[in-house]
Structures are given as C-alpha cells and as structure tokens.
Amino acid sequence: MKTVYTFVPSPNHVYPDHPERPARFDVLESRLKSFDAELIDAKPATPEEISYVHNPTFVATLEKVCREQAPGIIDYAPTYVTQSSFEDALLAAGGAITCARAVLHGDANNAFALVRPPGHHAEPERAMGFCIFNNVAIAACDALTRGLERIAIIDYDAHHGNGTQAAFFNDERVAFLSTHQWGIYPGTGWIEDTPHAKKRIVNVPLPARAGDKVYEQVADKLFVPLVESFKPQMIFISVGFDAHWNDPITMLGLSTAGYFMLAKKVIALAEEYCDGKIVFVLEGGYDPVNVANGAEAVFVAETGQGTSEASDPNPHKEPDCDSRIEEIRKWHGF
Ligand SMILES: [Zn+2]
C-alpha cells in the first residue's frame, strides 16, 4: 500500500479577517511528517486542463483581475483574490490532478490533495464561495481524458458542492453526491433539484447538528447504492472538515471519529468497485485543529496503519434523519 499527497498551502492567498486563510494549515503542516504517506510535487494546472471545467473567458478575466485589481473581493461569499491567487489556484488544481494521475497510473494506491484555495463552489463560468477553480472537477475531467469512463465524486464538506454539480450537470460519465447542511450557503442542493439525473446526482440536505450517526446511515443507505448502481472506476472525495461540530462557520455535528468512519467506508467502496482507486481533495474546514485531526483520520484510513487518535465527540444531541434518508432513497429509486 502506498499513499501519496500534495501540499499546496498558498501562503500569499490571504485576506484580512477571512476564514479561508493560510493558518487553516498551521497545525496540519507540523504533523505532515508523522503520516505514513509520501509527499509528491504538485505541478500547476495548464490552461487546457483548467478549460476542462472552466470557460476560457472567465479564466482570462480572473487572471487580469488578479494582475491589475488585486487584492479585492470578487463575489458576495466573500471570495477574495490577491496578486498571487491566479497562480495559487493553478497549483491547487494541479495538486488534485497530480494526485489523481499518481493513482490512475498505479504509482500510488490512493492519494490526498491538501490544497487551497478550495474548489467545490467554483462553477464553469465563475469563482464562488472562497473557491477559484474547481480542483476536484478538473482532476476528474483529467482522469476522463485519460481513458476512464465513469467517475463518482462524493462531497461531504458542510456546504453543497454546487460548482461540481454544475460541471457535471449533463455529463453522464460522472456521478455526484453531496451531503450538506440545509439552509446555509450557497442555498442549493435540495433533494429534487436534479430530476433529470436520478441515481447520478444525489443531494443530501441535512439539518443542523446531524453528526456521526446520521452520516453513517447516509453512507450505508446512499453512498453504497449510488456506487453500486453507477459502478465508477475511480472515486474522488471532496472532503471538508467544516462539518465538524465545532467548526466556526457551520452547525453540523461530525467528530474526528466520524470523519475516520466515513473515510474507511468510502475507501472500502473504492476497494470493492474501483480497484482501490480513490483520491481525497480538501475543500473547507476553518478550525486548524479540526483540519489536522481530520487529515490524519483520512491518512490513517488510506494507509490502513494505526488508528485515528483524536477524541472530540459531539456534545450536542443529533436529530433523527431516518425519514429524510428514506425520502432521498425513494426519490432516486435506491
Ligand atoms: Zn464548506
């Protein structure tokens, strides 16, 4: 077993008082060497690779804004850019591509792209929600250009992966499942938003405080039938540690043990259906300790070495989501 990772901390992509900041990686960085995984160099994504997902006019405009008007805010989330953000975003997307190619070529069993800025809100025509380019979508498209025919992307960041959904809205080669807290940014991702794509685009809106028990049910009753029916050749995970119960900007209820459970479940699915091919790509997560503990949980699950040691159980009572999960299963015919 070999696990590789890329690390793109983008220290110059920073804005005063913004939660998506380099300090997110401060605790993680000091612990990277303790993980049983090999660092590989991220190469910047090329314009052609970015164009798998994004409109070239948007990309050209974004580059010009970074060169001529940065630093500044470019959307209401707020999403910011600095003079280095264009290059930082190319390297973040490249970090995801580099991981995916290592797994696809058999140089590694699995991988983790620890990159920022994050990507899953970025839509084909616009940067959005702290995201510049959609790292996971670009890496998935790169794998499709290299011969894969079916890919599943599972997104368990606290927010809806609207950008990834938009990238593959009409692309039958990619299945997408997003779990997210309902009622928060960006407001999309209701169960019935994509009636044209039943069993392919699955939205799992969850109430505040949904935590380890709910997510375990979601994995068993929704991740499993999606992967079983779609039969992907590779799985990508948009993992955001902002679904942790003490994340400063959301109100979900996962603990680090919950993140470990989820990583083990999706890795088991990849082993059963995809010859183990799985790539985790970091999205959000705004508490540096949660990011470090969550990343450790993913690495421990990927390498199969040791156990995740952080103990931070959710102190809040979880809501019952059985009927919500049943409703989603019924809508998709699972
Ligand atoms: Zn998020």
Side-chain angles (χ1 to χ4, degrees), residues 98-127:
T98 304
C99 280
R101 286 186 191 165
V103 172
L104 195 58
H105 297 162
D107 300 330
N109 298 83
N110 48 41
F112 194 176
L114 292 163
V115 298
R116 61 175 294 277
H120 73 150
H121 293 305
E123 296 188 343
E125 313 267 340
R126 61 176 171 165

Side-chain angles (χ1 to χ4, degrees), residues 319-334:
D320 182 343
C321 295
D322 290 358
S323 61
R324 171 67 53 85
I325 292 169
E326 270 319 303
E327 184 185 355
I328 299 168
R329 284 174 59 87
K330 212 167 155 189
W331 169 257
H332 289 280
F334 287 142

Side-chain angles (χ1 to χ4, degrees), residues 130-154:
F130 314 169
C131 302
I132 309 288
F133 297 138
N134 195 316
N135 308 316
V136 76
I138 292 165
C141 286
D142 183 68
L144 291 169
T145 67
R146 285 159 190 268
L148 289 196
E149 293 170 347
R150 290 178 313 284
I151 287 173
I153 302 174
I154 296 175

